[in-house]
Amino acid sequence: MGLDFTAIDFETANGFRGSPCAVGLTKVRGGVVVEEASWLMRPPENHDSFDHHNVRIHGIRPDRVAGLPRFGDLFPEIGAFIGGDVLAAHNAAFDLGVIRSGLEVSGLAGPAYDYVCTVMLSRRCYSLVSNSLPYAAEEAGVPLLNHHDAAEDARACAGILIDIAARHGAGSIAELYLSLGLNVSRQPAFDPRCDPLSKATQSALAALSGGPGGAAAPAARAYLPGWPEEGANPAPNADAAPDHPLFGQTVVFTGELAIPRTEAKIRSAELGARTESRVTSRTTVLVVGDGFVAADLRSGRLTGKARRVLGLHDRGQPIEVLSEGEFLQMVGGHLAPAVLA
């Protein structure tokens, strides 16, 4: 077996994972891109509002998908393109979550998928201050010119996996993961008519019904001067999935976040991360608020904690910077919505 897989990237209309509005797919055979596909789509019914935050990121407005097939109608074509391939995605927990939640709210069963995460592989195999897709793609020699175009993001993800396999002399994903001492992850098959719904879908449905926990996103908070409240550092969940990008990490937060730091710490701990209140030699991840994006690492628009992280990284400490958007994507949350008509 050669280096065969399909890379996938979704863009969503709002903070709920089950609201895909675009998908890009790149098929690789023997370490070479052989086929690509992409679709725009309407998100599933009742989950098709477009948040300003999401539109600002990917540029897809409601009128671009009006009248197009919904995700559930398109999934047979998407699934046929993937076939029995291993899926690769940059922050795979998000993209596999899109498939699961999108099918659940469409009332459709989903197949099992083996998958690999190029964020995890980038952390293992590169030494970057940010493992965001543009940084990892540049390291892999496949610069990303139009980030958040689903087709280009999938192509970049494929390039990262091809490069990492080549650096390790691996002729297949199985060889690569064996050399790294890792196991390929698996999302099992599911049927929403008889299997428990995912946590993200349960929260979204509760929000629609106004039931318990029905706030689909945290309410926007007024700006308050002074230091944000750090709160306690909860113990990490030892039973969390070890293949999650935050499992085993030591996470610190800086800047004004759209959610309280106390909530951010709880979400991190649930996924197996240890949270702390200041950057030390133990820190492995810094989450930066204030609208930070990875490009700010080059422009210099940084908090004091972020500058300290850059210094520690330059001295060889394995530490990386995440934007709040990347963090929320990992933990299944999202920014307070401003809905577009």
Side-chain angles (χ1 to χ4, degrees), residues 16-18 96-105 187 190-192 195-206:
F16 172 44
R17 290 180 177 181
L96 271 293
V98 171
I99 293 175
R100 173 138 195 171
S101 286
L103 290 177
E104 284 177 333
V105 296
Q187 176 164 282
F190 61 91
D191 186 334
D195 293 325
L197 298 177
S198 63
K199 184 177 179 181
T201 299
Q202 291 179 37
S203 297
L205 294 177

Coordinates of all heavy atoms in Angstrom, one line a residue, residues 16-18 96-105 187 190-192 195-206:
F16 N -21.9 26.3 15.0 CA -22.2 24.9 15.1 C -21.5 24.1 14.1 O -21.6 24.4 12.9 CB -23.7 24.7 15.0 CG -24.2 23.3 15.0 CD1 -23.7 22.3 15.8 CD2 -25.2 23.0 14.1 CE1 -24.2 21.0 15.8 CE2 -25.7 21.6 14.0 CZ -25.1 20.7 14.8
R17 N -20.9 23.0 14.5 CA -20.1 22.2 13.5 C -21.0 21.6 12.4 O -20.5 21.4 11.3 CB -19.4 21.1 14.2 CG -18.2 21.5 15.1 CD -17.6 20.4 15.8 NE -16.4 20.8 16.6 CZ -15.6 20.0 17.3 NH1 -15.9 18.7 17.3 NH2 -14.6 20.5 18.0
G18 N -22.3 21.4 12.7 CA -23.1 20.8 11.7 C -23.7 21.8 10.8 O -24.9 21.6 10.3
L96 N -14.1 16.0 11.2 CA -14.9 14.8 11.4 C -16.2 15.1 12.2 O -17.2 14.5 12.0 CB -14.1 13.8 12.2 CG -13.2 12.8 11.3 CD1 -14.1 11.9 10.5 CD2 -12.3 13.6 10.4
G97 N -16.1 16.2 13.1 CA -17.3 16.6 13.8 C -18.3 17.2 12.9 O -19.5 17.1 13.2
V98 N -17.8 17.9 11.9 CA -18.8 18.5 10.9 C -19.5 17.4 10.2 O -20.8 17.5 10.1 CB -18.0 19.3 9.8 CG1 -18.9 19.7 8.7 CG2 -17.4 20.6 10.5
I99 N -18.8 16.3 9.8 CA -19.5 15.2 9.2 C -20.6 14.6 10.1 O -21.7 14.4 9.7 CB -18.5 14.1 8.7 CG1 -17.7 14.6 7.6 CG2 -19.3 12.8 8.3 CD1 -16.6 13.7 7.2
R100 N -20.1 14.4 11.3 CA -21.1 13.7 12.3 C -22.3 14.6 12.6 O -23.4 14.2 12.4 CB -20.3 13.4 13.6 CG -21.3 12.8 14.6 CD -20.8 11.7 15.4 NE -21.9 11.0 16.1 CZ -21.7 9.9 16.8 NH1 -20.6 9.2 16.7 NH2 -22.7 9.4 17.4
S101 N -22.0 15.8 13.0 CA -23.1 16.7 13.4 C -24.0 17.1 12.2 O -25.2 17.1 12.3 CB -22.6 18.0 14.0 OG -22.2 17.7 15.3
G102 N -23.4 17.3 11.0 CA -24.2 17.6 9.8 C -25.1 16.5 9.4 O -26.2 16.8 9.0
L103 N -24.6 15.3 9.5 CA -25.5 14.1 9.2 C -26.5 13.9 10.3 O -27.7 13.6 10.0 CB -24.6 12.9 9.0 CG -23.8 12.8 7.8 CD1 -22.9 11.6 7.7 CD2 -24.6 13.0 6.5
E104 N -26.1 14.1 11.6 CA -27.1 13.9 12.7 C -28.3 14.8 12.5 O -29.5 14.4 12.6 CB -26.4 14.1 14.0 CG -25.5 13.0 14.4 CD -24.8 13.2 15.7 OE1 -24.5 14.4 16.0 OE2 -24.4 12.3 16.4
V105 N -28.1 16.1 12.3 CA -29.2 17.0 12.2 C -29.9 16.9 10.9 O -31.0 17.4 10.7 CB -28.8 18.5 12.4 CG1 -28.2 18.7 13.8 CG2 -27.8 18.9 11.4
Q187 N -13.3 7.4 13.7 CA -14.7 7.8 14.0 C -15.6 6.7 13.6 O -15.7 6.3 12.5 CB -15.1 9.1 13.3 CG -16.6 9.5 13.6 CD -16.8 10.9 13.2 OE1 -16.5 11.8 13.9 NE2 -17.5 11.1 12.0
F190 N -22.3 5.6 12.7 CA -23.4 6.0 13.6 C -24.7 6.1 12.9 O -24.7 6.3 11.7 CB -23.1 7.3 14.3 CG -22.9 8.5 13.3 CD1 -24.0 9.3 13.0 CD2 -21.7 8.7 12.8 CE1 -23.8 10.3 12.1 CE2 -21.5 9.8 11.9 CZ -22.6 10.5 11.5
D191 N -25.8 6.0 13.6 CA -27.1 6.2 13.1 C -27.9 7.1 14.1 O -28.2 6.6 15.2 CB -27.8 4.9 12.8 CG -29.2 5.0 12.1 OD1 -29.8 6.1 12.3 OD2 -29.6 4.1 11.5
P192 N -28.2 8.3 13.8 CA -28.9 9.2 14.8 C -30.3 8.7 15.2 O -30.8 9.1 16.3 CB -29.0 10.5 14.1 CG -29.0 10.2 12.6 CD -28.1 9.0 12.5
D195 N -28.4 5.7 17.8 CA -27.2 6.0 18.6 C -27.3 7.4 19.3 O -28.0 8.3 18.8 CB -26.0 6.0 17.7 CG -25.7 4.7 17.1 OD1 -25.9 3.7 17.8 OD2 -25.2 4.6 15.9
P196 N -26.6 7.5 20.4 CA -26.6 8.8 21.1 C -26.0 9.9 20.2 O -25.1 9.7 19.4 CB -25.7 8.6 22.3 CG -25.7 7.1 22.5 CD -25.8 6.5 21.2
L197 N -26.6 11.1 20.3 CA -26.2 12.2 19.5 C -24.9 12.8 20.1 O -24.6 12.7 21.3 CB -27.2 13.3 19.4 CG -28.5 13.0 18.7 CD1 -29.5 14.1 18.8 CD2 -28.3 12.5 17.3
S198 N -24.0 13.3 19.2 CA -22.8 14.0 19.7 C -23.1 15.2 20.6 O -24.2 15.7 20.5 CB -21.9 14.4 18.5 OG -22.6 15.4 17.8
K199 N -22.2 15.5 21.4 CA -22.4 16.6 22.4 C -22.7 17.9 21.6 O -23.6 18.7 22.0 CB -21.2 16.8 23.3 CG -21.3 17.9 24.3 CD -20.1 17.9 25.2 CE -20.3 19.0 26.3 NZ -19.0 19.1 27.1
A200 N -22.0 18.2 20.5 CA -22.2 19.4 19.8 C -23.7 19.4 19.2 O -24.3 20.5 19.2 CB -21.2 19.5 18.6
T201 N -24.2 18.3 18.7 CA -25.5 18.3 18.2 C -26.5 18.4 19.3 O -27.6 19.1 19.1 CB -25.7 17.0 17.4 OG1 -24.8 16.9 16.3 CG2 -27.1 16.9 16.9
Q202 N -26.3 17.8 20.4 CA -27.3 17.9 21.5 C -27.4 19.4 21.9 O -28.5 19.9 22.2 CB -26.8 17.1 22.7 CG -26.9 15.6 22.5 CD -26.4 14.8 23.7 OE1 -26.5 15.2 24.9 NE2 -25.7 13.7 23.5
S203 N -26.3 20.1 22.0 CA -26.3 21.5 22.4 C -27.0 22.4 21.4 O -27.8 23.3 21.7 CB -24.9 22.0 22.6 OG -24.2 21.4 23.6
A204 N -26.8 22.1 20.1 CA -27.5 22.8 19.0 C -29.0 22.6 19.0 O -29.8 23.5 18.9 CB -26.9 22.5 17.7
L205 N -29.4 21.4 19.2 CA -30.8 21.1 19.3 C -31.5 21.7 20.5 O -32.6 22.2 20.5 CB -31.0 19.6 19.2 CG -30.6 18.9 17.9 CD1 -30.8 17.4 18.0 CD2 -31.4 19.5 16.7
A206 N -30.7 21.7 21.6 CA -31.3 22.3 22.8 C -31.4 23.8 22.6 O -32.4 24.4 23.1 CB -30.3 22.0 24.0

